[in-house]
Amino acid sequence: MANKSKQRFPDEANEHFTYESAEKLLDNMEHLQQMIEQHKKVQRPRLQTLQNYFKGNNETILKDNRRREEHLADNRAVHNFARYVSTFIQGYMVGIPLKTIHDDEDVSERIRDMNRINDADEHNSELVLDQSIYGRAYELLYRGTDDEYHFTHVDVLNTFVIYDETVERKSIAGVRYFKSKYSDEETILLYTDEKNLKLGYEDGSKLQIVEPQTDEERQREINNFQGIPIIEYENNKFRQGDFEDVLALIDMYDGAQSDLANYSQDLNDAMLKIIGNLDLEVEEAKEMKKNNIIFLKTEPNADGRESTANADYIYKQYDVQGSESYKTRIANDIHLFTATPNLSDENFAGNMSGEVMKYKLFLMEQKRAAKERRFKRALRERYRLISNMMKTASEGEIDVSKLNITFTENLPKNIEAEMKWFTDAGGQLSQKTMISQLSFIENADEEIEQLEEEEKQRPINQPQYDFEEHQHQNSQEHEEVTGDGE
């Protein structure tokens, strides 16, 4: 008889939902109902487990009946490696906000306004965090009552996308389901490329479309994005979270630390062992123990000689040094397989330059490059769908092929050393180039325009600041100090 697999999650817990077309799906609502039930019973438990580990509620160490003896210590040491991994990756990728620039300046300005309205920096950061935790993230596009385009983060635990069965794997529908906190009524929303439908259960069992009752509901039902307004951001090909494959190692580390804590506590309650033929009453022994002292008064043995006596404690012997080496090895493996640095490593100096840090983060760089490609693809889909609605409303369009999306890894940089080398070599930079290198400046042209506007408003009798002249003077002063001037 074959052994059952001991993998934590079944393969079905992370598979894509596929169907022939949205039209066929609407004609077979029972199949959509099966997908929703499978998501609830098979996929959602995996997502919930990953969320629990990120929150520090490590499931294996916190489950009941870890120790059989009720009188012994039962410490449950939880180590939040999951949060460390995902938070590090989130900060590394989007700690410096990504830049979205279009070749057409007017379109760039429109995108910047849209991003400001939606707080895109925070939104993108949340998407990257969800990707890292769950292996996937979702956003919902809509046009608000303010006639502005909006994109918002939606909960991974109750959202999924359905794809067609072709090799192109195009999305044909998106699903969200949720219950009210104050009733058992469940709301199900189905998004297609034409309509946003509300679904309900007939007689509490059969899924069906809920027809709109008012003109406002009919208007909201129309989808002008000409595509599925729920966009999925995948973390990798397998939609696996960044700490998902080290959950067993996290459990092992928690177990080792908990056992060490239990050993230390049990040692305080060790059993006293007394060997010898003693003339000692029970109450007298209790009083000695209470006063933390023991008198061993022996009795003569059978041949009249005085017997010997000894007292010590009985406790489980524990290899503390071996346990520490074991935990260190597990912790190093967690960092290795998640491609994150061990900041507690003595060799990980705090004064490393950005270039040296890159060598220690080489594997993380490979992961980041793959994650960025998938994120950019989904990001272009966001602006493509918004462009579709803009064209329908005669508000222009966004050519996503001319969209430049730039990620900047969040590493310490020695800009001063780079600039010194460059100026020592006689190099000069334009003001636009220098401004564009600043991480807190999103658009260099816009900043230069603001500088020019400030110069126009400067009082006439106040001298203007000449950037190129100032740069030239600094170069001359440097030559005089180093003796390179004539």
Side-chain angles (χ1 to χ4, degrees):
M1 184 176 180
N3 293 329
K4 292 183 178 180
S5 173
K6 293 185 179 181
Q7 66 185 61
R8 190 182 292 259
F9 308 117
D11 294 335
E12 295 79 8
N14 206 15
E15 68 176 5
H16 291 93
F17 290 104
T18 60
Y19 208 76
E20 185 177 350
S21 67
E23 293 76 14
K24 291 287 184 66
L25 184 62
L26 291 173
D27 291 337
N28 297 276
M29 296 294 286
E30 66 275 11
H31 294 162
L32 176 60
Q33 187 170 346
Q34 291 173 14
M35 292 180 187
I36 295 173
E37 290 303 313
Q38 183 179 352
H39 189 272
K40 290 178 181 178
K41 296 178 180 179
V42 182
Q43 297 212 1
R44 184 164 178 160
R46 167 186 168 271
L47 300 172
Q48 186 64 61
T49 292
L50 296 174
Q51 184 184 94
N52 289 342
Y53 273 80
F54 179 77
K55 289 182 175 181
N57 299 321
N58 300 1
E59 294 179 350
T60 301
I61 195 67
L62 295 178
K63 67 183 180 181
D64 296 334
N65 302 323
R66 187 171 182 272
R67 301 199 74 177
R68 291 186 293 273
E69 304 88 346
E70 294 183 0
H71 65 283
L72 296 179
D74 188 14
N75 294 289
R76 310 292 180 96
V78 174
H79 300 81
N80 204 336
F81 281 102
R83 181 180 291 273
Y84 173 88
V85 170
S86 291
T87 303
F88 179 87
I89 292 175
Q90 178 193 32
Y92 184 65
M93 287 191 63
V94 289
I96 299 176
L98 59 88
K99 297 180 180 179
T100 307
I101 301 174
H102 197 274
D103 291 349
D104 187 326
E105 180 56 32
D106 292 335
V107 176
S108 282
E109 181 63 29
R110 183 69 185 270
I111 292 175
R112 282 195 294 272
D113 291 341
M114 198 181 303
N115 288 344
R116 292 189 188 103
I117 291 172
N118 290 279
D119 194 6
D121 292 342
E122 176 65 21
H123 174 74
N124 294 333
S125 181
E126 289 298 316
L127 290 175
V128 170
L129 182 61
D130 270 8
Q131 276 184 305
S132 180
I133 298 172
Y134 307 105
R136 55 180 113 159
Y138 298 98
E139 74 175 2
L140 174 65
L141 307 181
Y142 65 96
R143 182 155 183 163
T145 55
D146 56 359
D147 282 337
E148 297 289 350
Y149 297 98
H150 293 273
F151 40 86
T152 185
H153 165 270
V154 289
D155 193 354
V156 177
L157 270 66
N158 54 26
T159 306
F160 62 91
V161 172
I162 305 171
Y163 298 90
D164 66 18
E165 297 175 342
T166 67
V167 293
E168 294 180 343
R169 203 169 64 85
K170 293 182 178 180
S171 59
I172 60 172
V175 177
R176 292 177 59 219
Y177 61 89
F178 47 89
K179 281 187 176 181
S180 170
K181 293 182 179 180
Y182 309 104
S183 69
D184 293 332
E185 182 180 353
E186 184 175 45
T187 300
I188 301 174
L189 301 176
L190 177 68
Y191 303 86
T192 70
D193 59 357
E194 294 181 350
K195 290 187 176 183
N196 304 325
L197 303 172
K198 184 177 181 180
L199 308 179
Y201 291 99
E202 181 183 9
D203 299 328
S205 59
K206 186 178 180 181
L207 195 64
Q208 65 176 4
I209 298 174
V210 177
E211 297 295 335
Q213 301 298 318
T214 64
D215 292 338
E216 183 180 355
E217 290 179 349
R218 293 186 187 93
Q219 188 64 31
R220 285 202 304 263
E221 192 180 66
I222 301 173
N223 175 17
N224 289 316
F225 285 109
Q226 301 172 33
I228 311 305
I230 292 183
I231 301 175
E232 180 173 11
Y233 290 71
E234 295 183 346
N235 194 44
N236 48 52
K237 178 181 178 181
F238 302 102
R239 295 198 303 180
Q240 191 175 33
D242 288 320
F243 58 82
E244 187 172 348
D245 58 350
V246 296
L247 291 178
L249 294 177
I250 296 174
D251 292 340
M252 291 166 64
Y253 193 94
D254 286 346
Q257 184 69 1
S258 298
D259 289 341
L260 183 59
N262 291 334
Y263 163 73
S264 300
Q265 188 169 333
D266 290 342
L267 185 59
N268 296 328
D269 299 324
M271 184 181 296
L272 178 64
K273 178 185 69 175
I274 301 176
I275 301 175
N277 187 17
L278 305 179
D279 182 13
L280 191 65
E281 298 293 334
V282 174
E283 293 300 324
E284 187 180 3
K286 289 182 178 179
E287 188 65 23
M288 289 182 184
K289 186 176 186 299
K290 179 180 178 181
N291 292 293
N292 204 26
I293 189 172
I294 186 169
F295 258 146
L296 302 179
K297 189 169 82 172
T298 61
E299 289 183 340
N301 53 24
D303 58 4
R305 297 179 181 180
E306 288 292 326
S307 60
T308 59
N310 186 27
D312 61 2
Y313 283 96
I314 300 175
Y315 58 90
K316 180 180 178 181
Q317 299 295 324
Y318 203 82
D319 183 6
V320 177
Q321 184 176 359
S323 175
E324 290 300 318
S325 298
Y326 173 68
K327 289 192 300 178
T328 299
R329 186 164 64 251
I330 294 175
N332 288 337
D333 284 346
I334 291 174
H335 290 294
L336 173 64
F337 297 126
T338 58
T340 55
N342 185 356
L343 298 180
S344 63
D345 184 0
E346 294 179 357
N347 297 323
F348 199 91
N351 59 351
M352 284 185 178
S353 67
E355 289 303 315
V356 175
M357 188 83 75
K358 284 182 179 180
Y359 284 103
K360 293 188 73 69
L361 295 174
F362 178 75
L363 185 57
M364 173 61 73
E365 278 291 294
Q366 313 314 307
K367 177 185 286 190
R368 180 179 73 90
K371 288 162 73 78
E372 283 182 9
R373 285 192 293 269
R374 290 182 175 272
F375 198 92
K376 287 179 180 179
R377 184 171 61 189
L379 208 60
R380 287 192 172 92
E381 179 67 7
R382 172 202 296 174
Y383 293 109
R384 186 187 71 81
L385 293 179
I386 292 175
S387 177
N388 290 342
M389 185 176 284
M390 289 172 61
K391 286 189 291 185
T392 301
S394 300
E395 297 174 346
E397 63 178 302
I398 301 173
D399 185 353
V400 295
S401 65
K402 297 181 180 179
L403 202 59
N404 301 306
I405 303 169
T406 305
F407 284 81
T408 305
E409 70 274 11
N410 192 13
L411 283 176
K413 300 181 185 297
N414 195 347
I415 300 296
E416 182 181 358
E418 292 183 16
M419 290 299 298
K420 185 177 184 304
W421 169 84
F422 186 72
T423 54
D424 287 350
Q428 292 184 348
L429 294 174
S430 67
Q431 187 176 12
K432 179 177 178 179
T433 300
M434 294 188 68
I435 291 177
S436 66
Q437 299 307 305
L438 298 175
S439 60
F440 54 85
I441 300 296
E442 184 176 352
N443 185 273
D445 290 328
E446 187 179 62
E447 182 66 21
I448 291 173
E449 289 177 4
Q450 292 178 2
L451 287 171
E452 292 175 350
E453 185 65 28
E454 289 179 1
E455 290 294 342
K456 291 178 182 178
Q457 298 176 4
R458 189 185 302 275
I460 299 177
N461 58 351
Q462 184 176 349
Q464 293 187 349
Y465 178 78
D466 192 326
F467 180 83
E468 293 184 356
E469 177 63 24
H470 179 74
Q471 191 178 27
H472 179 65
Q473 289 177 2
N474 284 344
S475 179
Q476 286 185 329
E477 290 173 1
H478 179 75
E479 290 177 356
E480 291 174 0
V481 172
T482 57
D484 294 334
E486 294 183 358

